[in-house]
């Protein structure tokens, strides 16, 4: 009986790892190149994002999330990078998480063009891979940032979820 429980936990962890990898691979693009002037960036919407994501997670039987300043810094870095490039790419996600001291399970959602944080979150809910990240059982903390650029999609969002 204990073997079955351990096997079930192992299979769930393996499935989550595969889903997270697929989600990241589905968004990955070419290396970022600077094309657009970034006119500003902010993490001021992180608390609102945490409230919206927490309500969604709780409705699905998952624990809420809180804002983490380190994850905000990682999200701000990537929001500025994709805004400057005018394209969405996770780049070297694993290395970047290490640089910001993010250990354990982590995932990243990117979006462009939404004027508001709730618009970006609704887009992520509608995307199977991004929705899996929002509902990642291990997630306890988030960081969110937006960056504005002249050209491209105008507004870019980065959400980092972690343990």
């Amino acid at each position: 009986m204990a073997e079955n429980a351990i096997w079930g936990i192992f299979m769930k962890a393996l499935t989550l790892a595969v889903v997270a990898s697929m989600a990241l691979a589905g968004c990955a693009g070419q290396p970022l190149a600077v094309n657009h002037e970034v006119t500003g960036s902010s993490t001021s919407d992180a608390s609102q994002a945490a409230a919206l994501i927490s309500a969604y997670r709780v409705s699905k039987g998952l624990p809420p999330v809180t804002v983490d300043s380190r994850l905000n810094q990682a999200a701000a870095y990537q929001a500025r990078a994709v805004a400057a490039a005018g394209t969405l790419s996770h780049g070297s996600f694993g290395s970047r998480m290490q640089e910001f001291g993010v250990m354990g399970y982590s995932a990243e959602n990117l979006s462009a063009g939404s004027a508001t944080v709730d618009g970006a979150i609704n887009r992520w809910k509608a995307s199977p891979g991004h929705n899996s990240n929002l509902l990642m059982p291990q997630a306890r903390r988030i960081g969110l940032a937006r960056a504005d650029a002249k050209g491209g999609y105008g507004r870019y969002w980065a959400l980092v979820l972690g343990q």
Side-chain angles (χ1 to χ4, degrees):
M1 180 117 172
E3 279 185 24
N4 286 340
I6 292 170
W7 180 252
I9 292 169
F10 171 76
M11 291 306 294
K12 285 181 183 178
L14 180 61
T15 300
L16 284 171
V18 169
V19 168
S21 295
M22 289 171 49
L24 289 174
C27 295
Q30 298 299 316
L32 299 179
V34 177
N35 297 325
H36 301 291
E37 177 187 349
V38 177
T39 59
S41 64
S42 174
T43 59
S44 65
D45 297 305
S47 293
Q48 181 184 3
L52 292 168
I53 293 167
S54 290
Y56 181 54
R57 288 173 57 83
V58 168
S59 77
K60 305 289 185 182
L62 296 166
V65 294
T66 60
V67 176
D68 179 274
S69 62
R70 191 174 21 179
L71 296 180
N72 267 353
Q73 291 172 355
Y77 175 90
Q78 194 62 9
R80 287 189 301 270
V82 296
T87 187
L88 300 179
S89 173
H90 295 284
S92 184
F93 177 74
S95 296
R96 188 164 20 93
M97 291 302 99
Q98 285 181 344
E99 288 176 25
F100 284 96
V102 178
M103 304 299 175
Y105 285 93
S106 59
E108 178 176 75
N109 286 355
L110 302 174
S111 183
S114 295
T116 63
V117 66
D118 57 325
I121 291 171
N122 285 332
R123 284 185 178 189
W124 292 327
K125 286 180 184 178
S127 164
H130 295 100
N131 190 55
S132 292
N133 289 344
L134 292 175
L135 299 176
M136 183 174 69
Q138 298 83 357
R140 298 294 184 273
R141 303 172 295 125
I142 67 145
L144 178 106
R146 72 172 193 271
D148 298 316
K150 290 184 180 178
Y153 294 99
R155 180 160 282 178
Y156 296 79
W157 298 90
L159 170 71
V160 178
L161 302 104
Q163 283 183 298

